[in-house]
Amino acid sequence: MNNGITVIVTTYNNNNCIQECLLSVINQTQSPKSIIVIDDCSEDILTLKEIIYSLNNTSNIKIELLINEKNSGPGFSRNKAWGLVNTDLVAFLDADDIYYKNKLELQLSILKKYPEANVIGGQKNHHNTEMNKEINNFKVKKLNFYKMLFINEVATSSVLLKTNIAHKFNTTYYCEDYFLWMTLLKKKFIIIIINTDICSQLNKNENNLSSHHFKMQYELQKVFF
């Protein structure tokens, strides 16, 4: 493993917003070592390739593109890309979200203060789309398994975690992230949460799986049984 951060961006039919998403990573105050974009069999792959090609020609951070042969869901996609990471730390970002400008820098500083932590996460704003917003005035806390039974406090696009964690995302289409956080907490891994927004959603995308509430509730039950 190498020092540094790899950012994994999952996308499915998100060409309308993925450039903004990637620019929010490229323009971080703490640059990642690399970016892996994994596409879940989108309809317009040629436009995605053009966007990444253009960004690779103007940025010092290499963007690698992986393409699933069939639509397999965000958990499968994140795990596939995660298996190729060769840095000590990995961060995740959905293609319809953006990072706040100092998100990675802040998380690294917190990890230095709490080196025993396995995951550093935070909250996601569903309304603000200000690209250059910086994170100020925050507190941190360690998550508790039993409190997390009532609400998922970890936004997937907010997390920075240690690459060598053996547990991975569930490969169902719903609650795949909550399944991982609860598994880690149950096994006494340490998750630190920042009590403010550190990323933001760009738009209300109809492909966003979080909008399918009944299916989410069904998969949520599997987390506990």
Side-chain angles (χ1 to χ4, degrees), residues 78 91-99 103 107 124 154-160 177 181 198-200:
R78 293 188 193 111
F92 295 94
L93 181 61
D94 293 338
D96 57 350
D97 294 338
I98 56 172
Y99 285 161
K103 184 256 189 193
Q107 288 179 304
K124 179 170 77 171
V154 185
T156 305
S157 286
S158 76
V159 297
L160 176 73
D177 50 352
W181 316 140
I198 62 175
C199 59
S200 179

Side-chain angles (χ1 to χ4, degrees), residues 74 126 152 154 156 170 172-179 207-224:
H126 292 272
N152 181 5
V154 185
T156 305
N170 198 4
T172 60
Y173 278 81
Y174 303 95
C175 293
E176 76 290 337
D177 50 352
Y178 192 27
F179 181 91
N207 295 313
N208 188 333
L209 293 177
S210 296
S211 63
H212 298 270
H213 298 295
F214 291 109
K215 292 181 179 179
M216 283 186 66
Q217 287 298 320
Y218 174 73
E219 291 298 334
L220 182 58
Q221 297 305 313
K222 294 182 179 179
V223 174
F224 309 121

Side-chain angles (χ1 to χ4, degrees), residues 4-10 25 28 32 34-37 78 81-82 85 87-94 99 103-104 107 119-120 155-163 169 181 198:
I5 303 168
T6 297
V7 177
I8 294 174
V9 177
T10 49
V25 180
Q28 285 287 294
S34 64
I35 302 169
I36 300 176
V37 174
R78 293 188 193 111
W82 190 349
V85 171
T87 53
D88 291 328
L89 300 170
V90 58
F92 295 94
L93 181 61
D94 293 338
Y99 285 161
K103 184 256 189 193
L104 295 179
Q107 288 179 304
V119 180
I120 309 290
T156 305
S157 286
S158 76
V159 297
L160 176 73
L161 54 83
K162 293 178 178 176
T163 304
F169 292 98
W181 316 140
I198 62 175

Side-chain angles (χ1 to χ4, degrees), residues 100-116:
Y100 289 170
K101 190 173 182 179
N102 59 332
K103 184 256 189 193
L104 295 179
E105 180 182 12
L106 173 62
Q107 288 179 304
L108 282 179
S109 69
I110 293 171
L111 189 58
K112 288 180 180 179
K113 187 175 180 179
Y114 301 94
E116 73 279 11

Side-chain angles (χ1 to χ4, degrees), residues 121-153:
Q123 299 174 12
K124 179 170 77 171
N125 190 305
H126 292 272
H127 305 289
N128 175 65
T129 59
E130 183 183 345
M131 179 76 70
N132 294 318
K133 181 177 174 63
E134 292 197 10
I135 307 156
N136 299 298
N137 302 323
F138 64 91
K139 295 180 180 179
V140 300
K141 66 176 181 179
K142 293 183 180 180
L143 286 188
N144 179 280
F145 174 85
Y146 295 102
K147 290 184 179 179
M148 274 277 283
L149 290 172
F150 299 99
I151 185 172
N152 181 5
E153 295 188 62

